[in-house]
């Protein structure tokens, strides 16, 4: 595994400056390489990379990248969210920054275009970490969003394309100050009963970030991800010395062996080492790093995400 730590120096301090990088995913599932989903992830990674290169924080970057995915009705998040068995839309989202471990999350949020912005409002308010239902809606209103109806959101969803994904979108990023952040958003799992909450709004399960370990966003079987605190477990594996790819592979393998659950994750270290792995048939992803083309893939987990010529779709 190569590291992406930049040899360039900050001229004022002679301290190495990290090369900023963002990774996004469009959900683990059965779908293989699909032009619409790849284009959607590529657009989110490109938007996030532009922010990083403009000096924005990793936290702002992952929020914006996830908002791009939430606005795209082919993904099961925001506008494309799947309904519950009774036809209602219930949204989950969370985000976390790695410098001070601030986090914000919403669960069972009624239909708003950008649940991740509501989660950001929770983080910025700083009073609590996780709000549910109408309490979460109050935070969504604070993020200047207007509530829509489940019917309006259902009518936006691209059911012609989105048939097999287990859902969820996410992003992790390293900014030029060396800070990490992670964000995750979902409409939940297909066929879920009303009131069901998955892993995505749970800090440590769907999302985790700590500048001293790594940042992670997960996707897949929420009922197994949350019982194994998968995002936290992956970051702790990094803290223990694993490479990002080895940590992603090991934690997902453990989940499948221990609980029979499948899914995927994106992972990044404080040095910009990237891990991308999944145990479902596919997981569309995109990587945006300073000085490189956006890299995309999704059929085969890359053995070495730093050198995806063999497995990724350079574009
Ligand atoms: N991983 C998304 C969910 O289970 O809700």
């Amino acid at each position: 595994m190569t590291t992406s730590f930049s040899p360039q120096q900050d001229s004022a301090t002679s301290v190495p400056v990290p090369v900023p990088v963002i990774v996004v995913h469009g959900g683990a599932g059965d779908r293989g390489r699909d032009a619409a989903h790849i284009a959607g992830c590529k657009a989110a990674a490109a938007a996030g990379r532009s922010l990083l290169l403009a000096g924005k924080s990793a936290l702002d970057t992952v929020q914006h990248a996830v908002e791009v995915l939430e606005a795209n009705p082919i993904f099961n998040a925001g506008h494309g969210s799947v309904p519950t068995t009774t036809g209602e839309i219930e949204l989950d989202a969370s985000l976390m920054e790695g410098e001070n471990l601030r986090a914000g999350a919403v669960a069972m949020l009624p239909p708003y275009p950008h649940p991740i912005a509501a989660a950001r409002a929770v983080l910025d308010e700083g009073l609590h970490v996780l709000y549910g239902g109408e309490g979460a809606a109050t935070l969504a209103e604070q993020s200047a969003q207007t509530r829509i109806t489940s019917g309006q959101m259902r009518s936006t969803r691209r059911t012609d394309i989105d048939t097999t994904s287990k859902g969820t979108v996410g992003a992790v990023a390293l900014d030029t100050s060396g800070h990490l952040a992670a964000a995750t958003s979902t409409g939940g799992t297909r066929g879920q009963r009303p009131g069901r909450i998955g892993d995505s709004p749970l800090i440590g399960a769907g999302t985790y970030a700590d500048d001293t370990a790594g940042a992670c966003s997960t996707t897949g079987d929420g009922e197994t991800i949350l019982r194994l605190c998968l995002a936290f477990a992956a970051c702790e594996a990094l803290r223990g010395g694993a490479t990002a790819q080895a940590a992603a592979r090991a934690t997902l393998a453990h989940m499948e062996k221990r609980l029979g659950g499948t899914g995927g994750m994106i992972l990044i270290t404080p040095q910009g080492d990237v891990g991308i792995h999944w145990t479902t048939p596919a997981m569309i992803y995109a990587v945006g790093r300073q000085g490189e083309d956006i890299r995309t893939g999704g059929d085969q987990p890359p053995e070495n995400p730093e050198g995806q010529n063999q497995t990724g779709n350079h574009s």
Side-chain angles (χ1 to χ4, degrees):
M1 177 68 65
T2 58
T3 173
S4 67
F5 208 75
S6 170
Q8 69 196 14
Q9 306 280 314
D10 180 311
S11 55
T13 63
S14 293
V15 172
V17 178
V19 174
V21 58
I22 179 168
V23 187
V24 307
H25 71 77
D30 299 332
R31 185 190 315 104
R33 193 166 298 182
D34 162 322
H37 288 82
I38 287 176
C41 283
K42 185 179 174 188
R49 185 176 65 174
S50 295
L51 290 191
L52 290 173
L53 297 183
K56 296 289 186 188
S57 70
L59 181 62
D60 287 343
T61 297
V62 294
Q63 178 186 343
H64 182 66
V66 166
E67 285 179 359
V68 170
L69 294 164
E70 287 175 337
N72 187 335
I74 65 173
F75 295 107
N76 176 16
H79 284 279
S81 294
V82 298
T84 66
T85 51
T86 55
E88 299 305 312
I89 300 289
E90 298 178 350
L91 305 165
D92 293 343
S94 64
L95 78 180
M96 183 171 187
E97 56 87 12
E99 183 181 12
N100 297 304
L101 307 189
R102 291 180 302 146
V106 290
M108 281 185 64
L109 177 72
Y112 284 88
H114 292 298
I116 201 67
R120 177 62 186 267
V122 176
L123 183 152
D124 287 340
E125 183 192 57
L127 196 56
H128 303 299
V129 170
L130 171 61
Y131 285 86
E134 288 303 321
T138 302
L139 273 293
E141 301 283 339
Q142 283 180 25
S143 65
Q145 297 189 68
T146 303
R147 190 164 175 162
I148 55 181
T149 65
S150 293
Q152 284 171 312
M153 204 168 251
R154 278 198 308 274
S155 66
T156 315
R157 195 165 74 87
R158 290 284 303 276
T159 50
D160 54 325
I161 294 176
D162 189 14
T163 55
T164 57
S165 173
K166 291 192 177 193
T168 307
V169 302
V172 294
L174 169 68
D175 65 28
T176 52
S177 299
H179 297 310
L180 295 170
T184 309
S185 180
T186 189
T189 196
R190 193 164 270 94
Q192 70 179 14
R193 295 175 67 185
R196 179 262 184 189
I197 297 170
D199 58 298
S200 299
L202 301 183
I203 299 301
T207 299
Y208 200 72
D210 183 342
D211 284 0
T212 67
C216 182
S217 170
T218 67
T219 167
D221 290 330
E223 276 65 20
T224 62
I225 292 171
L226 65 84
R227 278 183 283 162
L228 292 174
C229 302
L230 202 67
F232 179 75
C235 290
E236 286 302 296
L238 295 178
R239 195 190 300 284
T243 65
Q245 192 62 17
R249 195 182 302 118
T251 48
L252 285 162
H254 175 65
M255 183 170 83
E256 191 161 18
K257 186 171 179 201
R258 187 74 177 89
L259 294 174
T262 58
M265 70 169 62
I266 52 177
L267 191 57
I268 189 169
T269 71
Q271 293 76 34
D273 180 21
V274 165
I276 303 167
H277 194 66
W278 59 92
T279 50
T280 50
M283 183 186 80
I284 306 297
Y285 66 87
V287 182
R289 191 186 294 277
Q290 181 181 13
E292 298 178 3
D293 291 341
I294 303 287
R295 297 170 175 179
T296 63
D299 296 321
Q300 294 288 329
E303 282 305 307
N304 175 3
E306 305 297 345
Q308 290 166 10
N309 300 28
Q310 308 87 7
T311 54
N313 173 31
H314 282 250
S315 49

